[in-house]
Amino acid sequence: MGGEEASRALRGWSLATLILAALAFLANALLGPLNQDEGWYLLAARHVMAGDFPHRDFFFTQGPVMPLVYALFGWLWSPFGVLGGRLFTAVLGLAAIVVAGGAVAACLRREDERWTARLALWVFLGLSLWFTYFTCIPKAYALCALGLAVALRLIDGGRAWRSAVAGAILALLAGT
């Protein structure tokens, strides 16, 4: 198989893997066991949506970033309760593996190597029922995974502003 044929085949396998990963996220969102903390995280976001602030207006055991982010998108997930929170979180988890695949691939030169690296990461994370479960329940895992993947992708750019933004994202993740 030539270089272009190999890249085309790897792109096809990558697309199939991402579709299967999306199905794994969906299955975990719909069928995964209830984690007793997920309702508290969503309740904190609903408090923020109502104008309250974590630690000042209500008790919250984590940093304030996650409820603030979830409150920004509350219009999207809140009407559907915990299931809406799980589906929103699953989108964050899937985005995390897509961005992480790009971050890993950016370190390689050849196109077929980049697609191989993406595919390997997407298979190991996207088809792991453990990973997809913990990044579809409304807790900090998916948001942190996405933030870390974005920060790593930005650091790779070699420009000062990209490193500054990556540093700001990492600082926010410390508050998640």
Side-chain angles (χ1 to χ4, degrees):
M1 207 183 303
E4 182 55 37
E5 280 184 50
S7 286
R8 193 174 316 120
L10 287 167
R11 286 193 298 267
W13 281 109
S14 295
L15 177 62
T17 299
L18 286 178
I19 290 169
L20 288 173
L23 291 174
F25 276 104
L26 182 61
N28 271 314
L30 296 174
L31 304 171
L34 180 66
N35 184 292
Q36 294 179 357
D37 290 342
E38 58 191 309
W40 291 108
Y41 283 92
L42 296 175
L43 180 62
R46 299 228 21 197
H47 275 290
V48 173
M49 290 167 60
D52 294 337
F53 194 81
H55 311 294
R56 182 189 71 196
D57 299 317
F58 64 93
F59 179 74
F60 191 60
T61 59
Q62 306 293 323
V65 174
M66 184 182 169
L68 295 170
V69 169
Y70 273 63
L72 285 174
F73 296 96
W75 58 272
L76 186 63
W77 63 264
S78 185
F80 306 101
V82 173
L83 177 60
R86 280 184 168 208
L87 293 174
F88 175 69
T89 307
V91 169
L92 295 178
L94 185 59
I97 65 170
V98 169
V99 174
V104 168
C107 300
L108 301 169
R109 283 192 200 139
R110 291 189 1 227
E111 186 69 15
D112 61 329
E113 290 175 343
R114 289 194 293 267
W115 279 106
T116 301
R118 283 184 192 103
L119 178 59
L121 188 135
W122 293 342
V123 165
F124 290 132
L125 293 181
L127 301 183
S128 163
L129 294 180
W130 181 85
F131 181 85
T132 56
Y133 171 71
F134 277 98
T135 54
C136 87
I137 57 173
K139 294 176 79 168
Y141 305 121
L143 184 59
C144 286
L146 179 58
L148 182 60
V150 168
L152 291 174
R153 185 69 177 105
L154 285 170
I155 288 172
D156 179 57
R159 297 187 183 247
W161 71 268
R162 289 175 63 124
S163 295
V165 171
I169 290 170
L170 293 172
L172 285 170
L173 290 179
T176 302

